[in-house]
């Protein structure tokens, strides 16, 4: 039998998705979202009861009696069904009820509900089996803590719920450790809701899962938590998830960038406002959770002590600063008589906590924030003690992350760095970033710790690491915008004029080395000379290199790849030679082949030779072939057909042979397959135009421009377009048809976009004249369009 159900507020049948709202939802209309969750629950309740009643008439079934019930658990039990979420139900029965009769009931129950469109996550358990499952699996137990009778024997459900709850409390000391490990794994996998680039509303730390866990922890009676605040934050996240389901028409918890715009529109806010609201709710929920876990850990540590004497007392570890508790469950507090209004004390306490890897007591942090000076008082430059304590905090390593999080939640960061408000919880526009801008800045400080011994001024490095993206919260190029901001902050923090200029310059040029290294030919002497004109000194070069590496490591695995690091290090050493004058650098002495790589022998070469070696986490392909017009284009086409993505290429001609070098991120390149494909293409057996000369879907505006630089040994052509197979082939073919040649190319990929730079020369190996340069540019633009 198929159960059909209506609703007092909805005419849809069970399980069907609600229509998308047609107007943006104001803050007041969010009550409708919460009412809709209740309506969905009531709809499903009616469907389940109708199906159950058709099988077990009023008064019960003589063969079954009263020992069976349909139970809502999890989100369904809490009455918060999402538009496309699962319906979690358990058919539970007394052990005495015949198994055959229960199976008959289950089969008659599930099929009508599936026919109604419900996405059932169902189970059938005996009372003893249910209790045993809850004992052995904390997820089952937590789901049962929210159990609610939908149909059948309510007394059975109440009794079983009471027994499961008693077992939950009895085994709490073991269970909470399983919960803690599970939360740690989720945090590693999904990150913090407040700071990851693509937050998971359910699984990220500070997400919906954490809120449910907090309710479970309170149910153990081992710890308390402000459940009113938790429920309010959880409700905010549920509102966003409901709209996310509606606009995506599927059950998803990831707030992907492509969906965020539509979700924000439905909620009546901008995309940026939505992201900040979601992340702020996650940040506050995570803060409550961390505090709760810490108090629980302290409770368990205290109860495990043999006597009160075994419990560590507050021990002073710095002037005015003490450690309360033991090495495991301890935290940093103020000692008796310490003055919270002492601004140096706040910095010292934070630095002590970060260096020790211990949390800063929330009570202490709140007291320090309440006693912090007014905004006008912060304009006075800090003294040497405060500046030193700040540097100690920023150089503390991984412990900085949690301590800074605590400082930010209570508002102390705003007293020290009001500019932080512009980047707090802000997502990055770059697809390679794994964190929000503020979290990325802190992570850069942590990563800078690996480079402190490589620079003359570690203090300036870490301050620049904190401030390198401070301009991203305002309009304009963030490096240029951030430069004067960083200078003002450094002066306010008590650094000298000269030191403040260094910090400002580091912020201004923090992208210089990775940009030049990955988009320019570092074997061209003019590249190093142009960089040397900017950095001027070895000391600044070392600081800039350390900041570049720290920034890349804090960004993503792509930004910290061995290939990228190798290029930066190679560029730094070439710039160092220019700065020190220890080498004979001539701008017109381009050799074209990296010094550290041996030039392949041309002796005995007959036809085409392909070599492949491991290189910077990928592969380096060297191809030797008789020189011929258009050879580079055909080689690029052959590699495109072989599925080889490229980082760079370069070619030189000697003794009638063209020797080309191709860097690829792939580490599994099969030399023989590549060689066979190259030979087929060079023999004319493959029509590259037919295979590769196709318009890029959705790319109706490729950009091709000439890059003007001083002291260039080649004409630089930059291409910005959607990534596509054969793009380098198309460019090389157009350049060749214009009577020029590509000396080297350097590929940068940003999501689906590429920004490739080609070094183009004439037949004599010299830069093109203005007319020829424009001809090449136009030919390439036409080829890509």
């Amino acid at each position: 039998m198929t159960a059909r159900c209506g609703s007092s507020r909805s005419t849809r049948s069970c399980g069907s998705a609600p229509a998308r709202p047609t107007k943006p939802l104001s803050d007041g209309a969010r009550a409708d979202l919460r009412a809709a969750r209740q309506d969905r629950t009531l709809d499903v309740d009616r469907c389940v009861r109708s199906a159950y009643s058709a099988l077990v008439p009023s008064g019960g079934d003589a063969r079954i009696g009263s020992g069976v019930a349909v139970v809502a658990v999890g989100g369904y039990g809490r009455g918060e069904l999402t538009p496309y979420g699962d319906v979690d139900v358990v058919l539970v029965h007394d052990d005495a009820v015949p198994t055959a009769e229960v199976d008959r009931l289950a089969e008659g129950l599930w099929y009508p509900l599936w026919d109604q469109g419900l996405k059932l996550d169902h189970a059938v358990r005996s009372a003893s089996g249910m209790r045993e499952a809850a004992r052995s699996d904390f997820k089952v137990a937590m789901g049962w803590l929210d159990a609610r009778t939908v149909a059948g024997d309510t007394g059975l459900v109440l009794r079983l719920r009471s027994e499961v709850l008693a077992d939950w409390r009895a085994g709490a000391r073991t269970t909470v450790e399983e919960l803690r490990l599970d939360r740690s794994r989720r945090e590693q996998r999904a990150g913090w809701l407040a700071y990851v680039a693509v937050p998971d509303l359910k699984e990220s730390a500070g997400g919906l899962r954490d809120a449910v866990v907090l309710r479970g922890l309170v149910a153990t009676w081992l710890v308390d938590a402000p459940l009113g605040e938790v429920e309010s934050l959880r409700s905010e996240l549920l509102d966003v998830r409901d709209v996310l389901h509606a606009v995506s028409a599927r059950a998803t918890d990831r707030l992907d960038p492509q969906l965020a715009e539509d979700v924000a529109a439905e909620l009546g806010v901008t995309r940026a406002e939505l992201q900040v609201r979601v992340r702020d709710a996650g940040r506050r929920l995570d803060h409550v959770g961390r505090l709760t876990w810490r108090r629980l850990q302290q409770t368990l540590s205290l109860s495990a002590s043999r006597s009160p004497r075994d419990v560590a007392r507050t021990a002073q570890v710095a002037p005015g600063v003490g450690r309360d508790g033991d090495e495991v469950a301890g935290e940093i507090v103020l000692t008796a008589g310490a003055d919270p209004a002492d601004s140096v004390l706040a910095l010292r306490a934070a630095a002590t906590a970060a260096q020790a890897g211990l949390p800063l007591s929330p009570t202490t942090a709140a007291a320090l924030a309440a006693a912090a000076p007014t905004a006008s008082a912060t304009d006075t430059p800090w003294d040497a003690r405060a500046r030193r304590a700040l540097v100690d905090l920023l150089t503390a390593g991984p412990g900085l992350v949690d301590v800074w999080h605590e400082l930010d939640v209570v508002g102390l960061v705003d007293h020290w760095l009001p500019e932080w408000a512009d980047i707090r919880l802000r997502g990055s526009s770059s697809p390679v970033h794994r964190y929000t801008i503020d979290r990325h800045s802190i992570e850069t400080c942590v990563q800078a710790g690996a480079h402190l011994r490589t620079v003359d001024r570690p203090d300036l490095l870490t301050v620049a690491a904190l401030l390198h993206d401070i301009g991203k919260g305002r309009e304009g190029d963030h490096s240029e915008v951030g430069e004067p901001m960083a200078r003002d902050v450094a002066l306010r923090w008590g650094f000298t004029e000269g030191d403040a200029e260094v910090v400002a310059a580091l912020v201004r040029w923090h992208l210089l080395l990775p940009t030049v290294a990955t988009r320019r030919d570092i074997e061209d002497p003019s590249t190093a000379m142009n960089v040397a004109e900017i950095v001027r000194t070895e000391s600044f070069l070392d600081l800039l290199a350390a900041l570049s590496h720290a920034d890349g490591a804090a960004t993503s695995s792509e930004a910290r790849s061995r290939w990228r690091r190798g290029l930066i290090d190679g560029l730094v050493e070439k710039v160092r030679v220019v700065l020190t004058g220890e080498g004979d650098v001539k701008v017109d002495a381009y050799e074209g082949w990296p010094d550290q790589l041996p030039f392949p022998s041309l002796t005995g070469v007959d036809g085409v030779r392909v070599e492949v070696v491991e290189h910077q986490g990928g592969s380096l392909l060297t191809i030797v072939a008789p020189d011929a017009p258009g050879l580079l284009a055909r080689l690029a086409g052959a590699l495109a057909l072989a599925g080889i993505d490229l980082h760079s290429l370069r070619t030189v001609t000697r003794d009638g042979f063209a020797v080309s070098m191709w860097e690829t991120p792939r580490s599994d390149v099969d030399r023989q397959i590549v060689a066979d494909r190259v030979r087929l293409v060079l023999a004319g057996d493959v029509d590259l135009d037919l295979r590769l000369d196709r318009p890029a879907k959705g790319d109706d505006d490729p950009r091709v421009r000439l890059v003007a630089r001083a002291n260039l040994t080649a004409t630089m052509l930059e291409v910005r377009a959607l990534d596509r197979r054969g793009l380098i082939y198309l460019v090389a073919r157009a350049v060749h048809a214009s009577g020029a040649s590509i000396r080297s190319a350097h590929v940068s990929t940003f999501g689906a976009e590429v920004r490739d730079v080609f070094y183009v020369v004439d037949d004599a190996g010299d830069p093109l004249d203005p007319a020829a340069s424009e001809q090449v540019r136009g030919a390439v633009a036409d080829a890509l369009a």
Side-chain angles (χ1 to χ4, degrees):
M1 174 177 181
T2 301
R4 306 296 295 181
C5 307
S7 167
S8 58
R9 304 192 192 191
S10 171
T11 59
R12 65 186 177 87
S13 62
C14 293
S16 62
R20 285 180 54 181
T22 56
K23 295 181 180 180
L25 294 171
S26 65
D27 285 342
R30 288 192 173 87
D32 291 340
L33 283 170
R34 295 160 197 180
R37 285 197 288 275
Q38 295 175 355
D39 287 347
R40 282 190 290 270
T41 301
L42 292 174
D43 272 353
V44 174
D45 282 354
R46 277 188 284 270
C47 288
V48 173
R49 287 172 186 148
S50 178
Y52 184 83
S53 298
L55 298 167
V56 185
S58 178
D61 187 303
R63 292 167 299 177
I64 296 178
S66 59
V68 179
V70 182
V71 185
V73 297
Y76 178 33
R78 292 188 294 273
E80 53 193 35
L81 285 177
T82 62
Y84 289 89
D86 290 345
V87 177
D88 297 325
V89 292
V90 180
L91 181 62
V92 65
H93 61 92
D94 273 333
D95 292 5
V97 177
T99 302
E101 296 303 329
V102 174
D103 291 342
R104 180 190 64 80
L105 177 60
E107 183 176 350
L109 185 63
W110 305 145
Y111 281 99
L113 295 177
W114 284 328
D115 290 341
Q116 289 292 316
L118 292 183
K119 293 173 59 179
L120 289 180
D121 186 350
H122 61 87
V124 178
R125 296 187 189 276
S126 66
S128 60
M130 184 71 250
R131 189 174 180 183
E132 182 57 35
R135 285 196 194 106
S136 60
D137 187 340
F138 68 85
K139 293 180 181 179
V140 173
M142 290 189 61
W144 196 258
L145 293 178
D146 294 311
R148 179 174 56 84
T149 307
V150 181
D153 190 344
T154 300
L156 168 65
V157 177
L158 291 176
R159 186 184 79 245
L160 194 51
R161 240 188 111 193
S162 177
E163 292 171 345
V164 169
L165 183 57
D167 291 341
W168 177 259
R169 288 168 180 157
R173 280 171 167 73
T174 299
T175 305
V176 294
E177 179 60 18
E178 295 175 352
L179 286 169
R180 187 189 65 78
L181 291 174
D182 180 69
R183 185 187 189 280
S184 178
R185 285 191 291 267
R186 283 191 291 108
E187 182 179 311
Q188 291 295 318
R189 183 177 65 252
W192 287 4
L193 180 60
Y195 300 129
V196 291
V198 182
D200 187 309
L201 299 176
K202 184 177 182 179
E203 298 296 331
S204 293
L208 294 167
R209 180 82 71 188
D210 271 3
V212 174
V213 169
L214 283 172
R215 296 172 68 228
L217 292 180
V218 171
T220 65
W221 288 353
L222 293 174
V223 69
D224 199 5
L227 290 185
E229 180 182 0
V230 170
E231 287 303 300
S232 175
L233 296 170
R234 193 170 69 89
S235 184
E236 289 185 38
L237 295 179
L238 286 171
D239 291 345
V240 175
R241 188 172 70 167
D242 283 356
V243 177
L244 176 61
H245 279 207
V247 302
S248 65
R250 58 191 174 92
T252 178
D253 298 313
R254 285 172 56 85
L255 190 59
D256 289 319
Q258 60 266 33
L259 296 174
E261 198 73 48
D262 288 341
V263 174
E266 300 291 6
L267 290 170
V269 296
T270 67
R271 176 177 168 178
E273 290 171 337
L274 170 68
Q275 291 175 329
V276 170
R277 287 188 183 194
V278 168
R279 288 173 174 141
D280 184 56
R283 183 176 71 140
R284 288 186 288 154
L285 190 54
D286 178 74
H287 185 254
V288 172
R290 288 173 183 272
L291 176 59
T292 302
W293 277 105
R294 198 180 309 157
R295 294 293 178 253
L296 177 58
Q297 188 177 34
Q298 290 169 342
T299 298
L300 295 176
S301 178
L302 179 63
S303 63
S305 300
R306 291 185 299 274
S307 71
R309 294 181 181 180
D310 296 325
V311 182
R313 301 300 181 184
T314 300
Q316 181 165 313
V317 292
V321 179
R323 186 189 73 233
D324 189 14
D326 57 28
E327 296 287 349
V328 176
E331 56 187 13
I332 296 301
V333 298
L334 301 184
T335 57
D339 181 9
D342 180 356
S343 58
V344 178
L345 180 61
L347 287 161
R348 185 187 303 129
T352 301
Q355 290 172 334
L358 292 173
L360 180 65
S361 163
T363 303
T364 295
L368 291 170
T374 61
S376 59
T378 62
D379 293 336
T380 304
W382 294 5
D383 61 26
R385 296 179 307 139
R387 186 172 66 253
R388 176 62 198 215
L390 172 70
V391 173
D392 288 343
L393 172 62
L394 297 183
T395 58
L400 170 65
V401 176
D402 285 342
V403 171
W404 190 272
H405 178 68
E406 185 70 47
L407 297 170
D408 200 23
V409 168
V410 299
L412 266 174
V413 171
D414 287 331
H415 286 283
W416 300 336
L417 185 58
E419 296 85 351
W420 194 255
D422 292 334
I423 64 171
R424 179 181 290 116
L425 304 178
R426 296 284 179 179
S428 175
S429 59
S430 172
V432 300
H433 274 264
R434 57 178 171 170
Y435 293 130
T436 54
I437 300 170
D438 54 341
R439 176 67 176 83
H440 166 76
S441 300
I442 294 301
E443 185 64 24
T444 304
C445 289
V446 174
Q447 297 296 332
H451 304 277
L452 298 182
R453 296 182 181 179
T454 68
V455 298
D456 293 335
R457 293 293 301 274
D459 54 340
L460 302 186
L461 170 62
T462 50
V463 170
L466 181 70
L467 302 177
H468 75 285
D469 277 349
I470 200 68
K472 282 189 173 180
R474 303 183 183 183
E475 293 294 327
D477 183 289
H478 77 279
S479 298
E480 296 178 1
V481 172
E483 180 181 16
M485 294 175 66
R487 181 186 300 108
D488 292 344
V489 171
L491 290 173
R492 189 168 69 238
W493 284 347
F495 287 94
T496 65
E497 291 276 356
D499 288 348
E501 288 297 333
V502 172
V503 171
L506 287 170
V507 172
R508 171 65 182 87
W509 297 109
H510 72 274
L511 294 177
L512 175 67
L513 295 180
T515 299
V516 171
T518 57
R519 302 186 199 173
R520 300 292 183 264
D521 186 352
I522 66 173
E523 301 305 324
D524 187 336
S526 65
T527 301
M529 294 182 71
N530 289 336
V531 173
E533 290 176 0
I534 295 174
V535 300
R536 296 186 179 180
T537 67
E538 275 196 276
S539 176
F540 187 80
L541 176 64
D542 290 335
L543 284 167
L544 198 60
L547 179 57
S548 299
H549 285 311
D551 187 16
T555 299
S556 63
S557 57
E558 178 182 338
R560 67 182 301 178
S561 67
R562 287 174 55 193
W563 170 76
R564 184 185 178 94
R565 295 199 308 270
L567 285 177
I568 293 175
D569 289 341
L571 175 60
V572 167
E573 292 312 308
K574 293 178 185 301
V575 174
R576 194 183 307 279
V577 170
V578 175
L579 293 174
T580 61
E582 295 177 355
D584 185 16
V585 181
K586 297 179 180 179
V587 72
D588 59 352
Y590 178 77
E591 295 294 335
W593 200 263
D595 296 336
Q596 71 274 19
L597 296 176
F599 191 82
S601 172
L602 302 179
T603 303
V605 175
D606 182 17
V608 178
R609 186 173 72 194
V610 177
E611 298 295 339
V612 179
V613 297
E614 188 277 333
H615 177 73
Q616 303 286 16
S619 301
L620 185 68
L621 287 70
T622 303
I623 303 176
V624 180
D627 191 23
L631 174 65
L632 189 68
R634 284 181 286 163
L635 292 177
L639 293 179
L641 292 179
I644 305 297
D645 295 325
L646 296 173
H647 278 322
S648 72
L649 68 92
R650 66 179 66 251
T651 182
V652 297
T653 303
R654 293 185 187 177
D655 301 330
F657 285 94
V659 182
S660 56
M661 184 179 73
W662 312 74
E663 285 185 291
T664 174
R666 282 185 52 180
S667 59
D668 60 344
V669 176
D670 188 306
R671 187 198 68 82
Q672 191 58 52
I673 291 177
V674 172
D676 291 344
R677 184 59 57 92
V678 167
R679 292 188 179 100
L680 284 173
V681 169
L682 296 186
D685 295 335
V686 179
D687 189 338
L688 291 175
D689 289 347
L690 181 64
R691 301 285 297 275
L692 297 174
D693 191 3
R694 300 176 182 177
K697 294 182 179 180
D699 193 3
D700 56 358
D701 188 27
R703 306 291 180 88
V704 182
R705 71 183 185 99
L706 297 167
V707 180
R709 290 286 189 275
N711 300 323
L712 288 178
T713 62
T715 296
M716 289 175 58
L717 188 74
E718 183 184 69
V719 173
R720 303 183 183 185
L722 282 180
D723 197 8
R724 57 193 287 193
R725 190 176 74 154
L727 185 143
I728 294 177
Y729 162 72
L730 295 175
V731 173
R733 186 189 63 178
V735 170
H736 168 66
S738 301
S741 302
I742 292 175
R743 190 180 74 190
S744 67
H746 308 274
V747 180
S748 296
T749 304
F750 303 90
E753 294 278 330
V754 295
R755 188 169 297 186
D756 300 348
V757 175
F758 298 86
Y759 282 68
V760 182
V761 295
D762 60 17
D763 289 341
D766 297 325
L768 307 181
D769 61 42
S773 297
E774 181 56 34
Q775 181 182 357
V776 168
R777 189 206 66 77
V780 172
D782 290 342
L784 297 181

